[in-house]
Structures are given as structure tokens and as C-alpha cells.
Amino acid sequence: MALRLGDAAPNFKAKTSVGEIDFYEYLGDSWGVLFSHPADYTPVCTTELGRTALLSEEFAKRNVKVLALSVDPLDKHKGWISDINETQNCNVDFPIIADEDRNVATLYDMIHPNASATATVRSLFIIGPDKTVKLFITYPASTGRNFFEVLRVIDSLQLTANYSVATPANWNAGEDVIVVPSISTEDAIKKFPKGVKEVKPYLRYTPQPNID
Ligand code: BEZ
């Protein structure tokens, strides 16, 4: 059965462009992003991996480890990584899994047979430090994902995990956030010294707590 939010992210061992890894050991206490690509030497994937590499400091700042996957072999990955570095002006230093036997793709339901019998779709999973699935998105092969959106979701998930706040529609970092429904307004006023604006008893805003 396909993975759902809150499920344990399956562990695996895999060959990658930086050596053999155990997924859980690789993640350690970090958050994780695991994302699949239809194949090596494809144009959209080339830009996605380049964009991810260019955002490596943003992922590191958020304590996120990135791991990419395609079902092509390691020697192909190596040549493709040089092309990505050359064309996207970046340095891909995160692992790319060579999932030739489709083990990881099957565990994470990344092959959708009615889209393609052999290639993985553009799935992306965000895994929390507790090794559970916090988000997944699946895009068609022809649509590159928006990695600013991935960072935005990570910011939102981390705010919820650390401060008991949620984020409203179209929220961007620095904007007001929402007090989660499980906290009473009385408790929210004590918990959020920057102030609480009660629009309705169930709709309370507070300034983003982790910025000055
Ligand atoms: C790709 O880059 O992976 C791709 C581009 C167009 C259609 C399908 C896949």
C-alpha cells in the first residue's frame, strides 16, 4: 500500500553516487528530503538537481539532508553529475541513489505504471527527525518541482513542530502564523509574548515566533 502522512518512512540500504548508505544512518537526527527522477540525462531533472545543489546552504540551515534517486546505474549517475555541475553552475554533493532493482522506488511507490512502466515519477517526500512521512508530492515527469516551495513547507513543518503554530494560505517566512486549535487563546497569550490577534475564537494569529 502507498505511504501516507504519519507513516514510518521505510529504511533501506542503497548504492549511491557517494557510496553505499543506510537511509536512517544517513539522516541521523536531521530532517530528510527524498526525491525521485524519471531518468539520468533528462532535461527537467538536470535543472532540479542543479537547483537543489544551489540551495544546499538553505537545506543545511534547516538541518535537512537531501537524497535523490533514479533507476539508472552508478556509472551513468557519475557522468550526469558532471553535466549538471557544468550546465547549472553548481556542485552536486548530495547522494543520488542508483536504484537499478527498483527497491527504493517500490518501497516509496515511485513508479506509477499508468504513467510509465519503468521510470519513477517526480515524487518528493519530507521525512521528520522521527522518521515519519511529513509530506509527499508527486509531479508528472514534464513538470519541474519548485524547490522554494519545498523550503517553505519545511519552514512550516518546523514551526509547527517547535512552536505549535500553523501557517496560513500562501504564507511566506516572516509573515504572521496561526495558533494551533489545541491551544486556548488564554494559553496562547502566555506562550506568544509578541501578541495574539483573535479574529474569531478559532482563528488566532501571532507574529512568527522564531524571528526578531
Ligand atoms: C524530463 O526531463 O525528465 C522530461 C521532460 C519532458 C517530458 C518528460 C520528461
Side-chain angles (χ1 to χ4, degrees), residues 26 57 86 137 153 185 212:
Y26 170 70
E57 279 181 22
E86 177 197 325
I137 52 172
V153 175
T185 299
D212 294 328

Side-chain angles (χ1 to χ4, degrees), residues 1-10 12 23 26-27 30-37 52 59 64-69 97 99 103-112 120-129 131-139 145 147 150-151 153-154 157:
M1 197 173 70
L3 287 173
R4 293 189 282 203
L5 298 189
D7 287 355
F12 55 82
F23 185 45
Y26 170 70
L27 291 180
S30 303
W31 290 69
V33 168
L34 171 66
F35 62 136
S36 59
H37 300 272
T52 305
F59 286 107
V64 177
K65 290 203 173 149
V66 171
L67 187 54
L69 172 149
I97 299 170
D99 196 33
N103 175 44
V104 181
T106 305
L107 284 172
Y108 283 81
D109 199 30
M110 289 164 165
I111 293 181
H112 295 194
T120 43
V121 286
R122 258 176 234 295
S123 287
L124 181 148
F125 292 81
I126 297 177
I127 316 288
K131 309 289 185 294
T132 65
V133 175
K134 303 297 182 194
L135 167 133
F136 55 84
I137 52 172
T138 298
Y139 277 35
R145 288 158 286 199
F147 290 85
V150 174
L151 290 169
V153 175
I154 292 166
L157 287 166

Side-chain angles (χ1 to χ4, degrees), residues 192-205:
F192 301 112
K194 291 182 189 169
V196 173
K197 186 169 84 185
E198 187 183 83
V199 179
K200 292 280 181 191
Y202 60 86
L203 178 59
R204 291 90 35 94
Y205 290 90

Side-chain angles (χ1 to χ4, degrees), residues 62-96:
R62 292 162 174 83
N63 192 27
V64 177
K65 290 203 173 149
V66 171
L67 187 54
L69 172 149
S70 107
V71 296
D72 284 321
L74 268 189
D75 56 340
K76 222 169 159 185
H77 281 5
K78 296 219 161 120
W80 184 37
I81 288 168
S82 339
D83 275 13
I84 298 168
N85 290 341
E86 177 197 325
T87 61
Q88 309 303 303
N89 199 19
C90 65
N91 176 31
V92 172
D93 59 359
F94 52 84
I96 305 179

Side-chain angles (χ1 to χ4, degrees), residues 38 42-45 122 141-142:
T42 49
V44 174
C45 308
R122 258 176 234 295
S142 51

